Amino acid sequence: MVTRPLEIAGRDDEPVALLPTRLTDLEGRVAGPLLRPGDPGWDNAVLIWNGMVATEPRLVLQPTSAEDVSAAVSFAADHGVLLSVKGGGHNIAGTSLAKHGLTLDMSRMRDVVVDPDARIAHVGGGCLLGDVDRETQRYGLATVLGFISEVGVAGLTLGGGLGYLSRRFGWTVDNLLEVEIVTADGRIQRASRDENADLFWAIRGAGANLGVVTRFTFRLHEVGPIVHGGIVAWPFEQVDEVLETYQTLTAEEWHGKRICTMAICYSGDLKKTDAVLAPLAALGEPVFDLRQNQPYAQLQSSLDATEPKGLHYYWRTHYASELSDGLLATAKDLAAENPIPAAEVAFLHLGGALCDHDWDDGAVGNRDARYASGAIGIWEPDDPNEIAYQQWIRNAGERFRPYSTGATYINFQTADEGGEQIRATYGANFERVAAAKQQYDPDNVFRMNRNISRAAADGRS
Ligand SMILES: Cc1cc2nc3c(=O)[nH]c(=O)nc-3n(C[C@H](O)[C@H](O)[C@H](O)COP(=O)(O)OP(=O)(O)OC[C@H]3O[C@@H](n4cnc5c(N)ncnc54)[C@H](O)[C@@H]3O)c2cc1C
């Protein structure tokens, strides 16, 4: 029998020695398994999307209920253990893994219950986007979720949440009705606009800082089940025309070779598809055109294969309030100069319903963001050019900066972006976010995230 204490990372950088009896106590209080390195399921439990920032905890607990989560949070708080929470593991900064600490892997909490009459879905805190789309689409319903079906609902939602449906229905958090959350004191609480309203406000954009969400309740909308969408590509020589068409199309509200593409989702009246997308036809024969009328849930997972886990990913992104000529020219220059074999210079079309609410309706803010611009690089873990590629991406970010609102999407911030970027993102909402953090997590138990306490302290120093 092993009797040596387990050395595990502490919250305050000092390691903590945990007696085996402590771990036995914890195991006795939870139904889910406590994994050690080498246990069956360990590798998957610590696998995250961005191999460049991968690290390993000492322990992984896979809770099966809010009570399990509560026991684990209390355990971490009582013993000063560094704690992290893993949803889909897709955060580019790798914030779901606590290096040498304790990670809660939420993958056993993936139940989805749809009430089609009330048009709501109750979603487990460990769900992936695909879990939710699959269940809600049985009824021709959907909430706003992102473009890759293996991303976690929790991480995406707690930072705001964007996807094809955002322009119709707003941020994911605009469609969030209620959460069940375990706060730093181990309490299982509910938060909504009517109950713990201040907590609910902060969760809608800064949620990863405030607790572990064990259940989300979302409002659903009629979507599809057939929508029109897919990717169309043209030769890079046509970049000017393609960008101009993208500018027109979006402004009017309605391997190997360089190409320019548009990924499209039109979830409106399918009879109007040709008219709405007419400017695309005017661009002539594309390299390929994968668009078709297809089930919404299929479109939602059609890009998954472009995002395998474990490669090295790096990017810089900015919100922009308009697609100015200068911004388009910068994007074109960057795309032409880009030295990284697998890279994208990209825009996301935001605006629409995302801008309908007031800036201070939830922590998410950024209601003036009508586009996001980005330079994205992907390479193999052993690529000798990693440093040069990272530098190129950072420079690309600097060239986009003059066209930025000054803020960036919290869920897109990389591990090396600092507290000033977090403060800029919450902008006028930052003081309120910081006050919620101080109230609900004064000891910064939840620190494996884009951390509000540290950003606030940086701002004061
Ligand atoms: C390939 C790719 C595509 C993306 N597409 C989109 C998109 O279309 N739209 C969009 O809005 N964003 C998108 N993102 C960004 C994405 O929203 C963030 O990376 C988000 O953090 C991922 O959530 P996750 O649960 O997968 O990540 P994780 O790395 O598991 O978690 C992210 C953060 O949330 C915390 N967290 C996880 N689960 C919980 C929980 N239950 N309770 C409390 N905190 C929790 C973690 O501790 C961590 O700090 C994309 C990212 C990638 C890599």
Side-chain angles (χ1 to χ4, degrees):
M1 194 175 132
V2 184
T3 50
R4 267 185 303 129
L6 174 78
E7 191 168 286
I8 191 163
R11 276 211 307 277
D12 301 311
D13 298 332
E14 290 292 311
V16 172
L18 281 180
L19 291 173
T21 48
R22 299 271 184 232
L23 296 181
T24 317
D25 284 350
L26 175 62
E27 284 177 299
R29 290 169 58 201
V30 295
L34 185 65
L35 305 183
R36 280 94 170 156
D39 281 350
W42 175 266
D43 290 349
N44 210 30
V46 300
L47 178 63
I48 60 169
W49 173 75
N50 192 1
M52 194 161 74
V53 293
T55 182
E56 281 214 5
R58 285 268 194 272
L59 295 170
V60 171
L61 180 75
Q62 295 181 319
T64 58
S65 64
E67 288 70 25
D68 278 7
V69 171
S70 165
V73 168
S74 299
F75 175 86
D78 292 349
H79 299 294
V81 167
L82 182 66
L83 176 71
S84 72
V85 189
K86 183 183 173 211
H90 271 71
N91 191 275
I92 189 161
T95 48
S96 62
L97 295 180
K99 188 176 182 186
H100 300 159
L102 168 64
T103 291
L104 297 188
D105 168 20
M106 302 293 286
S107 61
R108 289 179 190 246
M109 296 183 64
R110 287 174 64 180
D111 55 312
V112 179
V113 178
V114 180
D115 180 339
D117 297 326
R119 297 218 173 155
I120 57 174
H122 303 288
V123 172
C127 279
L128 306 184
L129 307 190
D131 299 333
V132 181
D133 283 333
R134 212 170 27 249
E135 292 305 316
T136 58
Q137 279 287 283
R138 287 181 202 279
Y139 306 97
L141 298 171
T143 194
V144 177
L145 295 173
F147 305 104
I148 301 291
S149 74
E150 295 188 347
V151 167
V153 172
L156 176 130
T157 305
L158 298 175
L162 298 165
Y164 284 124
L165 302 179
S166 295
R167 289 180 44 78
R168 282 181 75 185
F169 306 122
W171 290 95
T172 304
V173 289
D174 294 337
N175 297 280
L176 185 63
L177 299 175
E178 187 183 84
V179 296
E180 177 186 75
I181 182 170
V182 176
T183 42
D185 53 11
R187 278 198 298 155
I188 303 171
Q189 309 202 49
R190 283 181 187 205
S192 66
R193 285 182 189 260
D194 302 323
E195 193 175 357
N196 292 315
D198 54 344
L199 179 59
F200 188 65
W201 180 90
I203 282 170
R204 288 180 292 135
N209 268 270
L210 297 163
V212 185
V213 175
T214 46
R215 197 185 62 238
F216 298 88
T217 301
F218 292 109
R219 180 187 304 119
L220 303 176
H221 306 273
E222 274 183 25
V223 173
I226 303 296
V227 296
H228 178 84
I231 297 187
V232 201
W234 296 266
F236 190 68
E237 290 66 39
Q238 273 185 264
V239 60
D240 285 329
E241 282 172 88
V242 174
L243 284 178
E244 208 178 299
T245 304
Y246 182 68
Q247 195 178 29
T248 312
L249 203 57
T250 59
E252 286 174 8
E253 292 293 346
W254 27 262
H255 250 210
K257 287 194 184 139
R258 278 170 221 262
I259 49 173
C260 22
T261 70
M262 289 188 206
I264 288 163
C265 173
Y266 175 64
S267 64
D269 179 355
L270 289 178
K271 290 195 285 300
K272 296 188 181 151
T273 306
D274 288 346
V276 171
L277 296 178
L280 293 189
L283 277 168
E285 195 58 27
V287 178
F288 61 81
D289 185 348
L290 305 176
R291 283 180 304 135
Q292 54 179 320
N293 290 351
Q294 56 178 305
Y296 173 69
Q298 178 179 313
L299 181 69
Q300 281 286 80
S301 57
S302 60
L303 298 177
D304 290 5
T306 65
E307 303 291 340
K309 289 193 178 118
L311 295 180
H312 286 199
Y313 295 90
Y314 196 63
W315 62 41
R316 278 291 181 272
T317 64
H318 289 278
Y319 286 127
S321 55
E322 59 168 351
L323 266 193
S324 63
D325 291 345
L327 176 53
L328 291 184
T330 303
K332 177 185 159 186
D333 290 347
L334 288 170
E337 294 162 22
N338 153 55
I340 308 171
E344 280 172 34
V345 174
F347 294 113
L348 261 183
H349 190 198
L350 307 177
L354 288 166
C355 303
D356 283 353
H357 297 230
D358 290 336
W359 236 92
D360 63 353
D361 187 8
V364 64
N366 293 293
R367 303 287 179 174
D368 55 346
R370 299 192 178 271
Y371 292 89
S373 63
I376 301 159
I378 308 172
W379 49 87
E380 294 289 337
D382 55 358
D383 194 311
N385 298 312
E386 174 156 290
I387 302 289
Y389 288 167
Q390 287 177 336
Q391 188 57 45
W392 189 84
I393 299 268
R394 277 194 292 273
N395 284 340
E398 286 314 304
R399 284 165 63 182
F400 275 138
R401 189 180 294 280
Y403 309 101
S404 168
T405 62
T408 61
Y409 182 25
I410 197 84
N411 276 348
F412 288 167
Q413 292 178 7
T414 56
D416 57 356
E417 289 185 86
E420 76 289 349
Q421 203 55 60
I422 298 175
R423 292 195 305 276
T425 285
Y426 291 111
N429 287 339
F430 184 74
E431 291 308 323
R432 198 168 160 194
V433 169
K437 176 73 174 171
Q438 185 55 31
Q439 181 181 348
Y440 287 97
D441 184 16
D443 298 329
N444 204 11
V445 169
F446 300 109
R447 62 181 58 197
M448 297 304 298
N449 41 43
R450 299 298 296 157
N451 197 247
I452 301 294
S453 307
R454 275 197 296 267
D458 284 0
R460 286 192 294 269
S461 61

